[in-house]
Amino acid sequence: MAKLAATKYSEAIFELAVQEGRVDEFYNEAEVILKECSENDEISKLLNHPKVSKEDKEHFIEDTFGKEMTGLLVLMIAKDRHKDIVETLNMFMAKVLEYKKIGTAYVKTAVPLSEEQKEKVLKRLLATTDYKEFRMNYSVEPELLGGMIIRINDRVVDSSIKTKLDKLAGDLKKIQLS
């Protein structure tokens, strides 16, 4: 149920941002709110504390954050959906990135990539997708042995040596010797 509520709220604020032509302003404020929430545990404690009234929570939101998201946050508090705020804002930000054709790629390799290799990966992703830009996230996982794994949303391209060896081992187990 929580995911459904977060989806509905994120869609509503996204539609409002597009309709008003203020997508960047809304996105920037969502980013600030998420940063503040992740860096300051007191915000979460205050919003989730049962003895703090809804009115006090609403006043806190109005006094702390900018105007773009205040209405959404106050509404969510009034509807007892304060626990869905972070998920809602994350979903909203993902919608904005899709709208602006900005992809997020997660690239895992066995060894660190050079800047030249990273540039080649980026160019290849831009050439093979509909995205105009990418936010690249690189990580090193030596257990891959070689190759790479690239994840964009729910698409995964796995060309790692570990996966190829695992597949080969599985195929060899299927072979019956007569």
Side-chain angles (χ1 to χ4, degrees):
M1 188 70 167
K3 184 149 179 103
L4 178 63
T7 301
K8 294 289 185 192
Y9 284 116
S10 67
E11 287 172 355
I13 198 70
F14 175 74
E15 288 175 18
L16 178 65
V18 170
Q19 186 177 33
E20 292 186 2
R22 297 178 28 228
V23 173
D24 290 334
E25 291 96 329
F26 278 72
Y27 183 90
N28 292 339
E29 188 169 333
E31 204 168 39
V32 167
I33 294 168
L34 286 174
K35 184 175 187 257
E36 287 296 320
C37 288
S38 71
E39 292 177 357
N40 189 345
D41 290 337
E42 298 302 315
I43 293 173
S44 178
K45 288 178 185 175
L46 180 118
L47 293 177
N48 291 312
H49 200 287
K51 292 189 177 180
V52 177
S53 71
K54 285 183 185 181
E55 291 79 21
D56 288 341
K57 292 175 185 179
E58 290 170 4
H59 289 301
F60 169 77
I61 292 295
E62 290 167 345
D63 294 341
T64 306
F65 300 115
K67 62 180 180 174
E68 313 304 341
M69 291 286 178
T70 302
L72 171 71
L73 300 179
V74 168
L75 176 65
M76 291 181 76
I77 290 168
K79 300 282 187 182
D80 287 322
R81 291 290 184 191
H82 54 276
K83 292 180 181 177
D84 299 330
I85 287 174
V86 170
E87 185 177 9
T88 299
L89 295 178
N90 281 324
M91 289 175 137
F92 164 74
M93 291 174 71
K95 287 178 189 305
V96 169
L97 292 177
E98 282 295 317
Y99 174 76
K100 295 177 83 173
K101 299 270 188 212
I102 300 171
T104 302
Y106 298 89
V107 180
K108 296 179 191 176
T109 56
V111 296
L113 296 177
S114 68
E115 289 305 313
E116 183 180 319
Q117 290 169 320
K118 288 179 180 180
E119 187 63 32
K120 285 182 180 178
V121 170
L122 175 59
K123 284 181 180 178
R124 181 75 174 145
L125 291 177
L126 290 170
T128 58
T129 65
D130 292 332
Y131 293 109
K132 296 178 183 175
E133 187 180 324
F134 270 97
R135 292 185 174 183
M136 302 297 289
N137 298 284
Y138 296 96
S139 63
V140 176
E141 295 186 17
E143 62 271 12
L144 296 179
L145 304 175
M148 68 177 62
I149 299 173
I150 300 173
R151 183 175 62 84
I152 303 169
N153 296 326
D154 59 351
R155 289 179 34 202
V156 177
V157 176
D158 187 343
S159 64
S160 68
I161 293 176
K162 180 186 182 316
T163 299
K164 290 177 181 178
L165 288 173
D166 289 346
K167 184 179 180 327
L168 181 61
D171 291 346
L172 288 174
K173 286 180 184 176
K174 293 177 187 173
I175 297 174
Q176 292 185 357
L177 300 174
S178 41

